[in-house]
Amino acid sequence: MSSTSADTEKGVCSVVESFEQIGSQWRLVVLHDLQEGEKRFNELKRSTGASSRTLSRVLDDLGDMGFVSRRAEADAPIATYYSLSEKGHSLSPVFEEIGTWAEEWL
């Protein structure tokens, strides 16, 4: 089976598009942090070191892209929880492979 130039360009474009969606520093940090499980906003803020504004923007972006789910509890005080969606969980093997690669090459 031979690959054409169009197939190669399509493959490269899908890789580039993937990195454009998840490739920002803060998106990767939040996605990696949520691999551990559901967290409240302030827990994420502490564990990632992101400012409130940055974290809020990143969580909104990741939610809009379908990587993160948001759950609010109406108890006083109101608590908002964030977790990975099915799409977000599908990145777990990717993070594991990058970790393995980093241990060998970095």
Side-chain angles (χ1 to χ4, degrees), residues 9-65:
E9 287 178 21
K10 184 178 178 183
V12 170
C13 289
S14 64
V15 170
V16 170
E17 186 177 335
S18 298
F19 277 104
E20 286 175 355
Q21 281 197 15
I22 62 170
S24 83
Q25 172 192 350
W26 289 114
R27 287 180 189 166
L28 287 171
V29 168
V30 170
L31 287 168
H32 184 264
D33 204 54
L34 286 174
Q35 297 287 317
E36 299 172 6
E38 183 178 71
K39 291 189 176 185
R40 291 176 67 163
F41 184 88
N42 284 333
E43 290 175 304
L44 278 169
K45 186 177 169 194
R46 277 190 303 275
S47 62
T48 63
S51 69
S52 293
R53 182 177 178 182
T54 296
L55 184 58
S56 180
R57 179 182 46 81
V58 167
L59 288 168
D60 286 345
D61 289 348
L62 290 172
D64 290 345
M65 291 185 287

Side-chain angles (χ1 to χ4, degrees), residues 12 75 86 89:
V12 170
D75 297 339
E86 183 178 347
H89 276 294

